[in-house]
Amino acid sequence: MENVDALAAMVPDGAMLALPPEYSFVPMTLVRALIRRRVKDLNILTVPINGLAADMLIGAGCVASVECAAVSLGEAGLAPRFSAAVEAGTVKIKDSTCPAIHTALQATEKGVPFMPLGGLIGSDILNNRDDWKVVDDPLGQGHGRIVLIPAIQPDVAIIHSPLADRDGNVWIGRRRELATIAHAAKTLLVTVEAFQDESLLANEASAAATLPGFYVSAVAEAKMGAKPLGLVEHYAADTDEIAAYARAARSEAGFDAYVQRTVFGAQAAAE
Amino acid sequence: MTYSRDEFLITAIARLLEGDDVRHVAVGAASPIPGAAALLVRNLKGGSPRVALIHGKATNPFTDGGREIFDAAGQGRIDVFFLGGVQIDGEANLNLVGTGTYPNVDKRFPGSFGSAYMYFTVPKVILFRPEHTRRVFVPKVDFISAPGVSDPDVERRGGPKYLVTELCIMAFDSARRRFRLESVSPGRTLEEVLDNTGFEFDIPDVVPETPTPEEDRLSLLRSSVGLEVADTYPAFARDVLGVAA
């Protein structure tokens, strides 16, 4: 078993880093450790959307580019550091759409170089993606034009789960997008609330909700490791804290003060 | 019975969900008004249509990850979905990305989410944008997240059917690539709609008024349906419907 800072050290500068969506096991303690380690030039892939984690990494100067279907703080509003960075051009933006990101990861799962996806034609998303290609139905079955999406293989993916066992099997419940992310990424780093001695593969009910350890590169314990986001059936999102972040991060100075307090300060030392 | 703007919008959307073509309604994140409308109709019709609130717990039926809603839509298993936009134009193009020149727009919004796919695959997309201003309803969007219409050589079974705002309801005619005014909200006028819409649209000779909320439906919203809403949207159920989870 590693600790969280050791996991953060396993994310190299310049890596393509896949982040799960806000409701799905976002490892915020590990994100704060990444900011403390001053990781640089990350190419973030949101699967397919993200909020607080991406916004904090962008605000802290850790990010070179973002490929996303959306970055949003949900009920708390726009992701302020993301919006500011895109407006200023200080991060490169690759706009996508949710199923295109899922499809690109599924291509990697299957070990094929690309996969087709319907829709998209006529969208300016497509018009700004020179890595995507429109072809006439190559099998001649009369389906018209269709878009080919190249496979995406993230260098590193990070998640926070309620539970792992001693063999590195990780419980993901019905959050199957985490399986897709794990299957596609070269390295998967996992933080967990707790470990259990009994194998998660020992009975069918928990095995069906488990990501097998051969996809998992390292696991570390992080109590309350999704906070201030929620972890289903464990704790609810701290909506006051997320709203406080949204207010603070409207300005660079406000963001810096927030990060000083929650990432570098006494609050962080308690992690 | 007095009612709030949000209750009015819930009942207005609910009337668009009553047909037998609506078997499965999916509602995206942070959409309590469409979600409440779908739950209201399900209650009124005794369990049909199915309602999928993607950020609910028991109200979220998906068990195969984030891709499942899109795969289900791609197969035609979802009949109704809701989309909005920072900007919407007269050809029903949607912009969820930002205003100004892409990519370093003047004002950046979250992004296109699944719109560039759901708009093509879901037969009845209802555009829902309470704010009815020329800031939103523009002659031409600055960025097309999802196009309102497509060329014939692009497979498309879905698209925009209605636009619901606090001022009015419009229907969209894909063949004519135009909206048509269906009804105007009580106390509002055609002139207000014209003044606040930046694109041209068809106007019937007689413009009906959108019905006020039915009293029995308001009662349901403030009781049993409100409780179902509270399962996914507790703050909304408390503040708008007066129902505590």
Side-chain angles (χ1 to χ4, degrees):
Chain A
M1 186 174 95
E2 306 280 358
N3 65 38
V4 174
D5 287 324
L7 261 56
M10 296 169 74
V11 179
D13 289 350
M16 184 197 288
L17 179 71
L19 296 173
E22 217 70 348
Y23 53 85
S24 188
F25 295 10
V26 181
M28 288 306 301
T29 298
L30 179 52
V31 167
R32 288 186 285 270
L34 281 170
I35 294 172
R36 274 197 299 277
R37 108 145 187 69
R38 301 192 187 279
V39 64
K40 286 195 295 292
D41 296 329
L42 293 176
N43 299 294
I44 285 181
L45 176 72
T46 67
V47 185
I49 60 175
N50 186 264
L52 186 62
D55 204 62
M56 288 183 69
L57 287 165
I58 291 166
C62 304
V63 176
S65 73
V66 179
E67 176 163 4
C68 66
V71 177
S72 165
L73 297 181
E75 312 272 334
L78 299 178
R81 292 295 93 204
F82 162 77
S83 288
V86 174
E87 289 159 11
T90 51
V91 301
K92 182 177 159 55
I93 179 78
K94 290 167 86 174
D95 271 289
S96 188
T97 187
C98 301
I101 292 174
H102 294 304
T103 296
L105 294 173
Q106 285 177 273
T108 302
E109 278 186 299
K110 293 176 198 306
V112 296
F114 57 84
M115 277 179 64
L117 179 67
L120 284 169
I121 295 172
S123 165
D124 286 331
I125 299 170
L126 172 66
N127 296 337
N128 285 281
R129 293 296 300 248
D130 53 16
D131 52 336
W132 296 0
K133 185 167 182 173
V134 180
V135 297
D136 286 321
D137 172 7
L139 302 185
Q141 295 180 315
H143 291 290
R145 288 181 285 158
I146 193 157
V147 181
L148 303 182
I149 308 283
I152 297 178
Q153 184 174 36
D155 296 313
V156 184
I158 57 175
I159 66 174
H160 177 74
S161 154
L163 187 64
D165 65 20
R166 302 292 173 187
D167 300 323
N169 302 308
V170 174
W171 190 90
I172 57 171
R174 64 158 141 168
R175 306 280 27 135
R176 300 298 306 172
E177 58 274 0
L178 301 179
T180 303
I181 296 171
H183 298 168
K186 292 179 200 162
T187 296
L188 178 69
L189 306 176
V190 182
T191 58
V192 295
E193 292 288 323
F195 287 89
Q196 73 172 31
D197 290 328
E198 188 191 2
S199 171
L200 284 163
L201 302 177
N203 70 75
E204 289 297 290
S206 68
T210 293
L211 181 68
F214 70 86
Y215 295 108
V216 179
S217 309
V219 189
E221 187 178 280
K223 295 281 187 207
M224 307 299 278
K227 279 274 184 186
L229 302 177
L231 189 65
V232 67
E233 293 189 337
H234 288 258
Y235 41 89
D238 184 344
T239 50
D240 291 343
E241 177 66 18
I242 297 166
Y245 172 80
R247 279 193 304 277
R250 277 184 211 150
S251 72
E252 216 170 315
F255 173 84
D256 289 344
Y258 182 90
V259 166
Q260 275 307 322
R261 177 167 67 81
T262 62
V263 178
F264 293 101
Q267 199 171 320
E271 288 188 341
Chain B
M1 212 184 269
T2 58
Y3 56 86
S4 66
R5 183 199 75 159
D6 286 359
E7 288 175 323
F8 168 75
L9 290 169
I10 292 168
T11 55
I13 291 171
R15 290 183 209 103
L16 306 177
L17 304 178
E18 290 180 54
D20 291 337
D21 58 325
V22 179
R23 295 155 304 172
H24 192 178
V25 181
V27 181
S31 306
I33 292 173
L39 292 170
L40 174 62
V41 173
R42 184 176 75 172
N43 182 290
L44 288 166
K45 294 184 71 179
S48 173
R50 290 180 182 277
V51 176
L53 307 180
I54 66 168
H55 284 186
K57 278 178 71 182
T59 48
N60 171 9
F62 298 110
T63 57
D64 201 21
R67 69 174 182 233
E68 189 177 10
I69 188 173
F70 304 105
D71 293 350
Q75 297 168 44
R77 292 181 187 272
I78 293 173
D79 305 311
V80 177
F81 194 67
F82 298 88
L83 289 170
V86 172
Q87 295 176 324
I88 299 171
D89 69 24
E91 292 198 344
N93 296 310
L94 309 181
N95 174 9
L96 289 87
V97 159
T99 53
T101 305
Y102 189 83
N104 305 127
V105 290
D106 302 328
K107 176 82 176 146
R108 173 73 200 203
F109 288 84
S112 302
F113 293 91
S115 63
Y117 187 77
M118 298 301 268
Y119 218 22
F120 287 77
T121 51
V122 176
K124 189 172 190 172
V125 173
I126 296 174
L127 303 176
F128 176 57
R129 188 75 164 97
E131 176 188 335
H132 194 133
T133 63
R134 283 180 178 255
R135 193 176 73 144
V136 176
F137 298 108
V138 295
K140 178 117 190 63
V141 294
D142 293 345
F143 182 95
I144 299 175
S145 288
V149 292
S150 296
D151 294 336
D153 69 337
V154 175
E155 282 204 343
R156 181 164 191 167
R157 84 164 68 82
K161 290 290 177 289
Y162 291 99
L163 166 66
V164 178
T165 78
E166 62 183 3
L167 282 189
C168 71
I169 297 174
M170 293 192 192
F172 188 73
D173 183 335
S174 308
R176 301 189 60 237
R177 299 182 173 226
R178 271 174 84 89
F179 284 102
R180 178 178 189 275
L181 186 63
E182 290 278 297
S183 63
V184 173
S185 301
R188 314 308 284 263
T189 63
L190 171 61
E191 285 63 39
E192 271 183 278
V193 176
L194 287 165
D195 287 347
N196 290 290
T197 308
F199 56 75
E200 290 185 9
F201 55 90
D202 293 337
I203 303 167
D205 293 336
V206 179
V207 181
E209 184 176 275
T210 308
T212 55
E214 301 83 347
E215 297 217 348
D216 58 327
R217 296 186 177 195
L218 277 179
S219 298
L220 279 172
L221 280 171
R222 294 170 186 175
S223 57
S224 55
V225 173
L227 278 172
E228 295 178 51
V229 175
D231 181 56
T232 306
Y233 303 109
F236 179 84
R238 184 191 62 223
D239 299 342
V240 174
L241 305 175
V243 176

